[in-house]
Amino acid sequence: MKKFTFSLQKILDIREFEEKQAQIELGKAVAETNRIRMELERIAAERVRIVHLKADVVSLTEMIVKEQYLTRLDMTKDRLLEDLAAAEIVVEEKRAVFTEALKKRKVLSRLKERQFTAFRRDVQKAEDIVSDDISSSRFLRDNLSNI
C-alpha cells in the first residue's frame, strides 16, 4: 500500500510556522497590555492609599509632598493610558496578522484533509477490489476442484 503524500506539505509547514510566530507575537502584545493595565491598577491603589493618608497630614510640608506625589501619579497614569492605547492598537494589528496566518494555514489544512479523504477512499476501493478478486478466485477454485 502506498503512503499518502501531500504535495504542498512544505508550504503547509511554512504556514504553520508563520501562524505560530504570529500567535507568539500576539501573546507578547497582549502581555504588554496586561502589564500596563496592572501598572494602572497599582497606581490607582497607590493614589487611594495616599488620599486616605491625607487626613493624617500634620504639616504643610507633608501636604505639599503628598500633593506633588499625587500629581506625579496622575502624570504617570496619563502616560500609561497613552501607552495602553498604543498597545491596544498593536494588539489589534497582531490579531489581524494572526487571523490572516490562521486563514492561510486552514485553507491548506482543509485541502490536505480532502486529499487524504480521497486517498483513503481510493485505497479502500482498491482493497475491496483485491478482496473481491481473492474471494472470487477461491470460489472458482473450490467449485472447479469439486467437479
Side-chain angles (χ1 to χ4, degrees), residues 51-127:
V51 167
H52 289 310
L53 284 179
K54 210 172 190 183
D56 299 338
V57 173
V58 178
S59 71
L60 183 60
T61 308
E62 288 177 356
M63 187 184 300
I64 291 172
V65 168
K66 288 181 182 181
E67 284 299 320
Q68 288 176 343
Y69 184 61
L70 287 173
T71 302
R72 187 176 138 269
L73 285 176
D74 289 340
M75 288 178 7
T76 304
K77 179 188 75 164
D78 292 340
R79 181 185 50 79
L80 285 173
L81 287 172
E82 290 172 5
D83 292 348
L84 181 61
E88 290 287 344
I89 291 170
V90 170
V91 165
E92 290 307 314
E93 291 170 355
K94 299 290 184 182
R95 186 170 285 132
V97 169
F98 173 69
T99 302
E100 188 63 29
L102 183 67
K103 284 180 190 177
K104 288 180 179 180
R105 196 255 324 143
K106 279 189 173 181
V107 166
L108 284 178
S109 292
R110 282 191 217 117
L111 178 62
K112 181 179 179 179
E113 288 172 15
R114 281 191 216 121
Q115 286 183 3
F116 183 72
T117 302
F119 171 79
R120 290 297 303 155
R121 188 174 36 245
D122 292 345
V123 167
Q124 188 63 43
K125 283 181 185 177
E127 288 175 356

Side-chain angles (χ1 to χ4, degrees), residues 27 29-40 84 88:
V30 169
E32 179 63 17
T33 59
N34 288 339
R35 185 197 62 77
I36 293 171
R37 283 193 177 106
M38 287 174 46
E39 185 67 18
L40 282 168
L84 181 61
E88 290 287 344

Side-chain angles (χ1 to χ4, degrees), residues 125-135:
K125 283 181 185 177
E127 288 175 356
D128 290 346
I129 290 171
V130 168
S131 68
D132 284 347
D133 289 346
I134 291 172
S135 63

